[in-house]
Amino acid sequence: MRNAQSTARFATITAPGNIWVVSSINGDAQRLRQIHAGIDARLTRQDTVIYLGNYYGPHPKVLETVQELIKFRKHFLSQPRTFADQIIYLRGQREDMWEKLLQLQFSTNPKEALSFMVENDIGTVLDAYGSSVDEALERLRLSLVELTHYTLRLRSNIRMNPGHYEFMSLFKRAAMTADQKLLFVHAGLDPSLPMDRQGDNFWWGHRDFVAMERQYEGFRRIIAGHSAYKEGLQQYPVATILDNGSGIDGTLMAACMDANGNVLDLIEA
């Protein structure tokens, strides 16, 4: 019997195989389908698949992307002796904004929070789930009660798509191998802070991340799936970044890594 368990906030990778790492998808369902086909052709039952966040746009195929992720999860878990903790989803910038929008009535400054989300293209997610930026702004202007009703309706709209609401419950802040050699994050971290104090650094990054030259809390390598520069696979002394601009103007990437973080294979679509 395997000892593998994920905590409420962090996932632990204990499967003895390789680790397939998928960069920011950004709502590009077509590229994701191609990546899934490539991974599926190479997978063994001991491998782990980890998605490094940013599922909800800005590419408009948001619903199709989530549906493809759910479909592949079902396929993956249907294989003999495959466990749920071998397929992991990290929370990214897009998921951070979307979850906060669904709780906008509890924000200390809802207007400022929504403005930030609109500037960062949250409109594609609203459109996908039967709303719009204009409607969100209008509800915000009316009253807190109307805003509460609005976010409740958004949640109802999500539930109309089978599996989509449950999918949101799978997001983790970060993931690590059981031997603590590798740490997986969405965008980076602040090297000066411990894991439990990183907060938004996991999904919004930190200026000192790529400059790290020493191990962080014993981890030999930290792998991130989002970069503002979107230059593909980038290797630094401690950090590895995998992001080539999928869903914006580039390709989606998936890397196969061994237990030490060495890249064994790379798929690009």
PDB file of all heavy atoms in Angstrom, residues 15 24 31 76 120 147 174 231:
ATOM      1  N   ALA A  15       5.189   8.761  -6.164  1.00  0.00           N
ATOM      2  CA  ALA A  15       5.292   7.730  -7.205  1.00  0.00           C
ATOM      3  C   ALA A  15       6.737   7.656  -7.700  1.00  0.00           C
ATOM      4  O   ALA A  15       7.395   8.681  -7.890  1.00  0.00           O
ATOM      5  CB  ALA A  15       4.350   8.045  -8.356  1.00  0.00           C
ATOM      6  N   SER A  24       2.068  26.753 -18.264  1.00  0.00           N
ATOM      7  CA  SER A  24       0.809  27.506 -18.275  1.00  0.00           C
ATOM      8  C   SER A  24       0.055  27.270 -19.580  1.00  0.00           C
ATOM      9  O   SER A  24       0.585  27.494 -20.669  1.00  0.00           O
ATOM     10  CB  SER A  24       1.100  29.004 -18.111  1.00  0.00           C
ATOM     11  OG  SER A  24       1.541  29.285 -16.803  1.00  0.00           O
ATOM     12  N   ARG A  31      -4.040  23.122 -28.108  1.00  0.00           N
ATOM     13  CA  ARG A  31      -2.649  22.752 -27.799  1.00  0.00           C
ATOM     14  C   ARG A  31      -2.599  21.749 -26.637  1.00  0.00           C
ATOM     15  O   ARG A  31      -1.757  20.847 -26.627  1.00  0.00           O
ATOM     16  CB  ARG A  31      -1.831  23.994 -27.478  1.00  0.00           C
ATOM     17  CG  ARG A  31      -1.660  24.935 -28.664  1.00  0.00           C
ATOM     18  CD  ARG A  31      -0.713  26.085 -28.325  1.00  0.00           C
ATOM     19  NE  ARG A  31      -0.711  27.099 -29.363  1.00  0.00           N
ATOM     20  CZ  ARG A  31       0.000  27.035 -30.479  1.00  0.00           C
ATOM     21  NH1 ARG A  31       0.773  25.984 -30.696  1.00  0.00           N
ATOM     22  NH2 ARG A  31      -0.056  27.994 -31.376  1.00  0.00           N
ATOM     23  N   PHE A  76      -6.523   9.053 -17.203  1.00  0.00           N
ATOM     24  CA  PHE A  76      -5.314   8.745 -16.433  1.00  0.00           C
ATOM     25  C   PHE A  76      -5.648   7.812 -15.264  1.00  0.00           C
ATOM     26  O   PHE A  76      -4.968   6.806 -15.038  1.00  0.00           O
ATOM     27  CB  PHE A  76      -4.702  10.051 -15.920  1.00  0.00           C
ATOM     28  CG  PHE A  76      -3.434   9.891 -15.137  1.00  0.00           C
ATOM     29  CD1 PHE A  76      -2.198   9.882 -15.774  1.00  0.00           C
ATOM     30  CD2 PHE A  76      -3.456   9.779 -13.754  1.00  0.00           C
ATOM     31  CE1 PHE A  76      -1.024   9.730 -15.049  1.00  0.00           C
ATOM     32  CE2 PHE A  76      -2.285   9.631 -13.020  1.00  0.00           C
ATOM     33  CZ  PHE A  76      -1.067   9.608 -13.675  1.00  0.00           C
ATOM     34  N   ASN A 120      -6.265  42.312 -16.127  1.00  0.00           N
ATOM     35  CA  ASN A 120      -5.546  41.060 -16.387  1.00  0.00           C
ATOM     36  C   ASN A 120      -6.435  40.022 -17.085  1.00  0.00           C
ATOM     37  O   ASN A 120      -6.252  38.815 -16.921  1.00  0.00           O
ATOM     38  CB  ASN A 120      -4.984  40.503 -15.074  1.00  0.00           C
ATOM     39  CG  ASN A 120      -3.776  41.271 -14.593  1.00  0.00           C
ATOM     40  OD1 ASN A 120      -2.656  41.006 -15.022  1.00  0.00           O
ATOM     41  ND2 ASN A 120      -4.000  42.241 -13.724  1.00  0.00           N
ATOM     42  N   LEU A 147     -24.052  42.284  -5.421  1.00  0.00           N
ATOM     43  CA  LEU A 147     -22.769  41.645  -5.729  1.00  0.00           C
ATOM     44  C   LEU A 147     -22.744  40.217  -5.194  1.00  0.00           C
ATOM     45  O   LEU A 147     -22.254  39.302  -5.867  1.00  0.00           O
ATOM     46  CB  LEU A 147     -21.619  42.464  -5.136  1.00  0.00           C
ATOM     47  CG  LEU A 147     -20.205  41.962  -5.429  1.00  0.00           C
ATOM     48  CD1 LEU A 147     -19.941  41.941  -6.927  1.00  0.00           C
ATOM     49  CD2 LEU A 147     -19.171  42.836  -4.714  1.00  0.00           C
ATOM     50  N   ALA A 174       1.481  24.424  -4.044  1.00  0.00           N
ATOM     51  CA  ALA A 174       2.778  23.950  -4.558  1.00  0.00           C
ATOM     52  C   ALA A 174       2.801  22.442  -4.423  1.00  0.00           C
ATOM     53  O   ALA A 174       1.917  21.842  -3.813  1.00  0.00           O
ATOM     54  CB  ALA A 174       3.929  24.579  -3.783  1.00  0.00           C
ATOM     55  N   GLU A 231      10.049  32.530 -22.555  1.00  0.00           N
ATOM     56  CA  GLU A 231      11.194  32.177 -23.404  1.00  0.00           C
ATOM     57  C   GLU A 231      11.414  30.675 -23.486  1.00  0.00           C
ATOM     58  O   GLU A 231      12.509  30.215 -23.778  1.00  0.00           O
ATOM     59  CB  GLU A 231      12.446  32.873 -22.881  1.00  0.00           C
ATOM     60  CG  GLU A 231      12.355  34.408 -22.950  1.00  0.00           C
ATOM     61  CD  GLU A 231      13.545  35.093 -22.303  1.00  0.00           C
ATOM     62  OE1 GLU A 231      14.125  34.506 -21.352  1.00  0.00           O
ATOM     63  OE2 GLU A 231      13.882  36.218 -22.724  1.00  0.00           O
TER      64      GLU A 231
END
